Amino acid sequence: MAEKLLEFFLSKEAKYTMDPETEALLEKLFAKDSELYQNRGFQRRIGWGKKPALINVDLANAWTQEGSPFTCPGMETIIPAVNQVLAAFRAKGLPVVFTTTAYEITEGDHTDMGLWAKKIPAETNAAGSKAVEIDERLGRRPEELVIVKKQASAFHGTNLASFLTAAEVDTIVVTGATASGCIRSTVADGIAEGFRPIVVRECIGDRIAGAVEWNLFDIDAKFGDVEPLKAVLERLRRNEPYSHEYPGVQQE
Amino acid sequence: MAEKLLEFFLSKEAKYTMDPETEALLEKLFAKDSELYQNRGFQRRIGWGKKPALINVDLANAWTQEGSPFTCPGMETIIPAVNQVLAAFRAKGLPVVFTTTAYEITEGDHTDMGLWAKKIPAETNAAGSKAVEIDERLGRRPEELVIVKKQASAFHGTNLASFLTAAEVDTIVVTGATASGCIRSTVADGIAEGFRPIVVRECIGDRIAGAVEWNLFDIDAKFGDVEPLKAVLERLRRNEPYSHEYPGVQQE
Amino acid sequence: MAEKLLEFFLSKEAKYTMDPETEALLEKLFAKDSELYQNRGFQRRIGWGKKPALINVDLANAWTQEGSPFTCPGMETIIPAVNQVLAAFRAKGLPVVFTTTAYEITEGDHTDMGLWAKKIPAETNAAGSKAVEIDERLGRRPEELVIVKKQASAFHGTNLASFLTAAEVDTIVVTGATASGCIRSTVADGIAEGFRPIVVRECIGDRIAGAVEWNLFDIDAKFGDVEPLKAVLERLRRNEPYSHEYPGVQQE
Amino acid sequence: MAEKLLEFFLSKEAKYTMDPETEALLEKLFAKDSELYQNRGFQRRIGWGKKPALINVDLANAWTQEGSPFTCPGMETIIPAVNQVLAAFRAKGLPVVFTTTAYEITEGDHTDMGLWAKKIPAETNAAGSKAVEIDERLGRRPEELVIVKKQASAFHGTNLASFLTAAEVDTIVVTGATASGCIRSTVADGIAEGFRPIVVRECIGDRIAGAVEWNLFDIDAKFGDVEPLKAVLERLRRNEPYSHEYPGVQQE
């Protein structure tokens, strides 16, 4: 049966469906780990605040299309799921942010990749290239901010926290790729910065077998709530439409 | 055999030795994932710079001793391994930092836990308690800085980056707990800040089955080099003793 | 008359009252500069948001009492003014934060002063000393957070932004010392982080002639609103008492 | 004579030369303030480290050319002075960075201006406009990084610290505009991050009378060394040419 699990992990790279037996096995393992977490007071629910923003992490072509070292499988289901969340945010006038990872200078002694190209093929994500553009299937609107980051976290070295605080956001709904890289770092930073992270289960991709499951398990235990798409859409439906006024500001 | 793997994960919580069969299985899986990473240009080596600092993450009693929700197993081998690294840093006069996670205000509306207590039992780590003191077995010296952090990353909301940059450090050797929490966030932030993270394999703990292996695999692929204790000690032996002078500063 | 101005600046170090002639002169100068700013669209009003926090910057003995390199004059009027603001915040249950600047390690090669001791006498502010304790006249309560910072800004290398965001604060009312150092850096960072800074005119000190006036002028032009104590107290009186509930959180 | 000082301040907006009498008066005032600072151990020299980077702050057309709310006078001398520093950095292969301040979204509820447009006319600096391009007279080269910031400090919400640390920079030479805004915030953040700030006296502009003098006085007292162009050029001449190698990295 371990061969089965192994097979699952290996095959997983091509498709994100699991055979029922492996799924059961994984669930059993996570259930056991969860028992310890529950006994010790981990895996609490952070819940939604009053004003969520949607953060779509690295749903640019390098991650969503074939042909890049960064390509992730499963986009044929992830993109439509993200589009459902997008529609819900747009319907309420809530803030939507996209991130991409792109570099102005990828050669020479002083690049803007920092040290990251010493671990991963960052040099393939040149600013201005097709690879780093947001996937057209998401139909980004001009009023939706694109943040160009240089590191894994959408918060690190960017104006994301500043943008969210100024917009009175208290909750970040997170989608995108990859679970083991930019999603995890964004969620860990998100709660550290004081925002409530909600990760939409069906909207998260990775390129390596098992990475989505393990990382979402860790995230849900400690850093943010992993929720199914259905629950997220229902919650957004109940959310008040966002009206831009600051009642407290009656400057005289 | 999957039962075997499962058993391993579950038993792992009590002891960090693996039965050879399971080890082989995991190695096979990671080898396969590594193949994809290698083909795509991930898992590069970041290497050592010129001046390393040692960051011992949360080796305080809540993590190293029995009786806390945060207790991690395996400390009977982790602590001695950390002590070997500590001795090597002290012999060269290189900077040593300890972190702990502790809160001044754990009740009422405005605590310094941020949102973290909404996910984990942060409220048990009160400032001034025995739980948050650095484990005595590490013999911290007065000139070794203790950074009290509030979130997972040793960098988030602390003066660590400032301290390291001012001290001309370019490499951080990381030990401590937990792999899935503070270690991972510290390493991800470390490379993002521009420091080379080196994680010492034998010096990392966690409380949940499999968490050390999976997180170190992710880290090594993308964020820092995971190295065996022996290699780290050898590298430190070759390091020049640190002499505090700034040759460039001949202010007139 | 310039001699008069000079005299004023020099005497100002001992007392914060101005002779009417000098006051008129300064007002004339700032009025002229303001005209340019107004013509160009600077000096806008940022206004109050919904939930303010009070940030009392470095009202510790080194700044408020005689005998330190950091001593500021004028505390006989500043402290009572701060106490009025404190009373208003406490009456509404709004968050109150104090900062101090203190160092664990002030000798040797690897101190936690960063580079700051290369410019100012930071080494005199040792952690645990009387000098870095909050002035007793302010009657700090146990539930009021003290943030120990290492640099000028109350935000830099601290959990202040995280604390404020988690507490749903959108406005920071700032008091303390010094105008040219920690106040200015805190306000500049405050608006950059997305919080509305309100600086209380009568609650700000410095140790150098003219520093309060010039720095508050710059702040008011670009970074935050400088308001008289009376207006701040009136505004707080109108503020709803803070009730801790997150209406949005109905997690199912 | 105070009328004289006033006149100077007011006329200063058009030209940065001072009449000798006013200069003497200001020097007398700063000398007196300096006496107190010197007695108390402020105004220390931070000095140069081993590897400086040049940070040219907001030398984009909105600041350097007529016709913007952000226009600063004096560029006919500032630009040539900056070009001398640029030449010295380029001759040694040392890192050069330019910043500009530009916004993607300046209308609607969720702009990337944060709260800054509530104080200053940030909305005039649209991304992609001529206004936010680096002044052509500086001849920026493709390998010289342009950092697009959103707030005053070149460090806030940008990858500057990460870039500098990864490039092993320990010293930042700062030029540009404005003294009372982006220069001051950049220098204060620079030393806080652990870099040694050196501000080149002749390379700093502002739009308001007296702002350069007052802010450079405050900076020199507490945050960085203000040095004349001549001294900076001489120091750079002595600097070793930068050769890109990490001697410590002999990864096996």
Side-chain angles (χ1 to χ4, degrees):
Chain A
M1 266 215 294
E3 292 299 318
K4 218 95 221 215
L5 180 61
L6 182 59
E7 238 170 76
F8 149 66
F9 276 129
L10 301 183
S11 69
K12 187 93 193 327
E13 209 233 322
K15 56 175 184 8
Y16 273 85
T17 50
M18 299 192 201
D19 66 281
E21 205 173 3
T22 315
E23 204 172 337
L25 182 70
L26 261 187
E27 271 172 20
K28 203 170 153 191
L29 174 61
F30 288 146
K32 185 73 184 174
D33 278 354
S34 293
E35 201 186 314
L36 179 142
Y37 271 145
Q38 290 286 325
N39 288 339
R40 292 192 176 192
F42 289 77
Q43 290 185 334
R44 297 173 184 179
R45 312 320 295 164
I46 196 164
W48 292 64
K50 291 171 206 147
K51 186 179 176 188
L54 175 59
I55 318 290
N56 301 303
V57 178
D58 287 1
L59 290 173
N61 299 316
W63 291 265
T64 60
Q65 306 278 358
E66 291 297 318
S68 161
F70 292 91
T71 305
C72 295
M75 288 297 155
E76 67 285 356
T77 61
I78 291 171
I79 297 278
V82 174
N83 271 328
Q84 289 190 66
V85 186
L86 266 168
F89 269 81
R90 287 166 178 162
K92 299 288 185 177
L94 291 164
V96 170
V97 176
F98 293 84
T99 75
T100 188
T101 308
Y103 302 100
E104 299 292 332
I105 301 171
T106 55
E107 287 182 6
D109 288 351
H110 302 121
T111 83
D112 57 337
M113 300 184 293
L115 295 177
W116 214 10
K118 294 182 182 302
K119 289 300 293 185
I120 69 164
E123 67 280 1
T124 63
N125 289 329
S129 70
K130 190 82 188 164
V132 302
E133 278 174 25
I134 304 305
D135 190 302
E136 284 182 2
R137 289 172 286 179
L138 298 168
R140 182 183 80 87
R141 299 179 179 180
E143 72 272 20
E144 293 169 349
L145 188 61
V146 177
I147 285 182
V148 182
K149 64 190 180 67
K150 309 293 174 180
Q151 305 295 328
S153 165
F155 287 95
H156 199 278
T158 76
N159 61 318
L160 181 55
S162 174
F163 170 84
L164 296 174
T165 302
E168 306 194 311
V169 165
D170 55 8
T171 303
I172 52 171
V173 175
V174 181
T175 76
T178 66
S180 63
C182 301
I183 293 296
R184 175 132 177 192
S185 287
T186 296
V187 168
D189 271 5
I191 187 172
E193 297 275 342
F195 303 103
R196 298 160 184 259
I198 310 290
V199 180
V200 194
R201 181 63 191 83
E202 288 88 342
C203 297
I204 303 296
D206 204 309
R207 67 187 72 87
I208 286 299
V212 172
E213 288 72 21
W214 278 96
N215 281 285
L216 293 193
F217 181 76
D218 282 352
I219 285 173
D220 191 65
K222 298 182 175 180
F223 299 117
D225 296 354
V226 179
E227 296 197 359
L229 175 61
K230 192 159 168 285
V232 169
L233 295 176
E234 269 167 25
R235 181 61 186 71
L236 284 165
R237 214 166 295 135
R238 290 206 317 278
N239 215 86
E240 298 289 312
Y242 170 66
S243 106
H244 186 263
E245 51 179 79
Y246 299 96
V249 186
Q250 297 151 318
Q251 197 70 24
E252 55 278 354
Chain B
M1 267 214 295
E3 292 298 318
K4 241 144 183 179
L5 179 61
L6 183 59
E7 239 170 75
F8 149 67
F9 277 129
L10 300 182
S11 68
K12 185 96 190 328
E13 210 234 320
K15 58 174 184 6
Y16 273 86
T17 51
M18 298 191 201
D19 65 282
E21 205 173 3
T22 315
E23 204 172 337
L25 182 70
L26 262 187
E27 270 172 20
K28 205 171 152 191
L29 174 61
F30 288 146
K32 185 72 184 173
D33 278 354
S34 292
E35 201 186 313
L36 180 142
Y37 271 145
Q38 290 286 326
N39 288 340
R40 294 193 175 190
F42 289 77
Q43 288 185 334
R44 296 172 185 180
R45 311 321 294 164
I46 197 164
W48 292 63
K50 290 173 206 143
K51 186 178 176 188
L54 176 59
I55 317 291
N56 301 303
V57 178
D58 286 2
L59 290 173
N61 298 316
W63 291 264
T64 61
Q65 306 278 359
E66 291 297 318
S68 161
F70 291 92
T71 305
C72 295
M75 287 297 155
E76 66 285 357
T77 61
I78 291 171
I79 297 279
V82 174
N83 271 328
Q84 289 190 65
V85 186
L86 266 169
F89 270 81
R90 287 165 178 165
K92 299 288 184 178
L94 291 163
V96 170
V97 177
F98 293 82
T99 75
T100 188
T101 307
Y103 301 101
E104 299 292 332
I105 301 171
T106 55
E107 287 182 6
D109 287 351
H110 301 121
T111 83
D112 57 337
M113 300 184 293
L115 295 177
W116 214 9
K118 294 183 181 300
K119 290 299 293 184
I120 68 165
E123 68 279 1
T124 62
N125 289 327
S129 71
K130 189 83 188 164
V132 302
E133 279 174 26
I134 304 305
D135 191 302
E136 285 184 0
R137 289 171 287 179
L138 297 168
R140 184 183 79 88
R141 298 178 179 181
E143 73 271 19
E144 294 169 349
L145 189 61
V146 177
I147 286 181
V148 182
K149 64 191 181 67
K150 308 292 176 181
Q151 305 293 329
S153 165
F155 288 95
H156 199 278
T158 75
N159 61 318
L160 181 55
S162 175
F163 170 84
L164 296 174
T165 301
E168 306 195 312
V169 165
D170 54 9
T171 303
I172 51 171
V173 175
V174 180
T175 75
T178 66
S180 63
C182 302
I183 293 295
R184 175 132 176 191
S185 287
T186 297
V187 168
D189 271 5
I191 187 170
E193 297 274 343
F195 303 102
R196 298 158 183 260
I198 310 289
V199 179
V200 195
R201 181 64 191 83
E202 289 88 342
C203 297
I204 303 296
D206 204 309
R207 67 188 71 86
I208 286 300
V212 172
E213 288 72 21
W214 278 97
N215 281 286
L216 294 192
F217 182 75
D218 281 353
I219 285 173
D220 192 65
K222 298 182 173 179
F223 299 116
D225 296 352
V226 179
E227 297 198 0
L229 175 61
K230 192 159 166 285
V232 169
L233 294 176
E234 269 168 24
R235 181 62 185 70
L236 284 166
R237 215 166 294 136
R238 289 206 317 278
N239 215 84
E240 297 289 313
Y242 170 67
S243 107
H244 186 262
E245 52 178 78
Y246 298 97
V249 185
Q250 296 151 319
Q251 196 70 24
E252 55 278 354
Chain C
M1 266 211 299
E3 291 299 317
K4 236 77 237 199
L5 179 61
L6 183 59
E7 240 170 75
F8 149 66
F9 276 130
L10 301 183
S11 70
K12 185 98 190 323
E13 211 232 320
K15 57 176 184 7
Y16 272 86
T17 52
M18 297 191 201
D19 65 281
E21 204 173 4
T22 315
E23 204 172 336
L25 182 71
L26 261 187
E27 270 172 20
K28 203 171 153 190
L29 174 61
F30 289 147
K32 184 74 186 174
D33 278 355
S34 292
E35 200 188 313
L36 180 143
Y37 272 145
Q38 290 286 326
N39 288 338
R40 293 192 175 191
F42 289 76
Q43 289 186 333
R44 297 173 184 179
R45 311 321 294 164
I46 197 164
W48 292 64
K50 291 173 206 144
K51 187 180 177 189
L54 175 58
I55 318 292
N56 301 303
V57 177
D58 287 2
L59 289 173
N61 298 316
W63 290 265
T64 61
Q65 306 278 358
E66 291 297 318
S68 161
F70 291 92
T71 305
C72 294
M75 288 297 156
E76 68 283 357
T77 62
I78 292 171
I79 298 279
V82 174
N83 271 328
Q84 289 189 65
V85 186
L86 267 167
F89 270 81
R90 287 166 178 162
K92 299 288 184 177
L94 291 163
V96 171
V97 176
F98 293 82
T99 74
T100 188
T101 308
Y103 303 100
E104 300 291 332
I105 300 171
T106 55
E107 287 181 6
D109 288 351
H110 302 120
T111 83
D112 57 338
M113 300 184 292
L115 295 177
W116 215 9
K118 294 183 183 300
K119 289 300 293 184
I120 68 164
E123 67 280 1
T124 62
N125 290 329
S129 70
K130 188 82 186 163
V132 302
E133 278 174 25
I134 303 305
D135 190 303
E136 284 184 0
R137 290 172 286 178
L138 297 167
R140 185 183 79 87
R141 299 178 179 180
E143 72 273 20
E144 294 168 348
L145 187 61
V146 177
I147 286 183
V148 183
K149 64 191 181 66
K150 308 293 177 181
Q151 305 293 330
S153 165
F155 288 95
H156 198 278
T158 76
N159 61 319
L160 180 55
S162 175
F163 170 84
L164 296 175
T165 302
E168 306 194 315
V169 166
D170 55 9
T171 302
I172 51 171
V173 175
V174 180
T175 76
T178 64
S180 63
C182 301
I183 293 295
R184 175 132 176 192
S185 288
T186 297
V187 168
D189 271 5
I191 186 170
E193 297 274 344
F195 303 103
R196 299 160 182 258
I198 310 289
V199 180
V200 194
R201 180 64 191 83
E202 288 87 342
C203 297
I204 304 296
D206 205 309
R207 67 187 72 86
I208 286 300
V212 172
E213 288 72 20
W214 278 97
N215 281 286
L216 294 193
F217 181 76
D218 282 353
I219 285 172
D220 191 65
K222 298 182 174 179
F223 299 117
D225 296 353
V226 178
E227 297 198 359
L229 175 62
K230 191 160 167 283
V232 170
L233 295 176
E234 270 168 24
R235 181 62 184 70
L236 284 165
R237 216 167 294 135
R238 291 206 316 279
N239 216 84
E240 297 289 312
Y242 170 66
S243 106
H244 187 264
E245 51 179 78
Y246 298 97
V249 187
Q250 298 151 317
Q251 197 68 24
E252 55 277 357
Chain D
M1 267 214 296
E3 291 299 316
K4 259 230 111 141
L5 179 62
L6 182 59
E7 240 170 76
F8 149 65
F9 276 129
L10 301 182
S11 69
K12 187 96 193 323
E13 209 234 322
K15 57 177 184 3
Y16 273 85
T17 51
M18 298 191 201
D19 66 282
E21 206 173 3
T22 316
E23 204 172 337
L25 183 71
L26 260 187
E27 270 172 20
K28 204 171 152 189
L29 174 62
F30 288 147
K32 186 72 185 175
D33 278 355
S34 291
E35 201 186 313
L36 180 143
Y37 272 145
Q38 289 286 327
N39 287 340
R40 293 191 176 192
F42 289 77
Q43 289 185 334
R44 296 172 185 179
R45 311 321 294 163
I46 197 165
W48 293 64
K50 291 173 206 145
K51 186 179 178 189
L54 176 57
I55 317 292
N56 301 302
V57 177
D58 287 2
L59 290 172
N61 298 317
W63 291 265
T64 61
Q65 307 278 359
E66 291 296 319
S68 161
F70 292 92
T71 305
C72 295
M75 287 296 156
E76 66 284 357
T77 61
I78 291 171
I79 297 278
V82 174
N83 270 329
Q84 289 190 65
V85 185
L86 267 167
F89 269 82
R90 287 165 178 164
K92 300 287 184 178
L94 291 164
V96 171
V97 177
F98 293 83
T99 74
T100 188
T101 308
Y103 303 101
E104 300 291 333
I105 300 171
T106 55
E107 287 181 6
D109 288 350
H110 302 121
T111 83
D112 57 338
M113 300 184 292
L115 294 178
W116 214 10
K118 293 184 183 301
K119 289 300 292 183
I120 68 163
E123 66 280 1
T124 63
N125 290 328
S129 70
K130 189 82 188 165
V132 303
E133 279 174 27
I134 303 305
D135 191 302
E136 284 183 1
R137 289 172 286 179
L138 297 168
R140 185 183 78 87
R141 299 179 179 179
E143 72 272 20
E144 294 168 347
L145 188 62
V146 177
I147 286 182
V148 182
K149 64 192 181 65
K150 308 292 176 182
Q151 304 294 330
S153 165
F155 287 95
H156 198 277
T158 77
N159 61 319
L160 180 55
S162 175
F163 170 83
L164 296 174
T165 302
E168 306 194 312
V169 166
D170 55 9
T171 303
I172 51 171
V173 175
V174 180
T175 76
T178 65
S180 63
C182 302
I183 293 296
R184 176 133 176 191
S185 287
T186 297
V187 168
D189 271 5
I191 187 170
E193 296 276 342
F195 303 103
R196 298 161 182 258
I198 310 289
V199 179
V200 194
R201 181 63 191 81
E202 288 88 343
C203 297
I204 303 296
D206 205 309
R207 67 187 72 86
I208 285 300
V212 172
E213 288 72 21
W214 278 97
N215 281 284
L216 294 193
F217 181 76
D218 281 353
I219 285 173
D220 191 65
K222 297 183 175 179
F223 299 117
D225 296 353
V226 178
E227 296 197 359
L229 175 61
K230 192 160 167 284
V232 169
L233 295 176
E234 268 168 25
R235 181 61 186 69
L236 284 165
R237 216 166 294 135
R238 291 206 316 279
N239 215 84
E240 298 288 312
Y242 171 66
S243 106
H244 187 262
E245 52 179 79
Y246 299 96
V249 186
Q250 297 151 318
Q251 196 69 25
E252 57 277 357

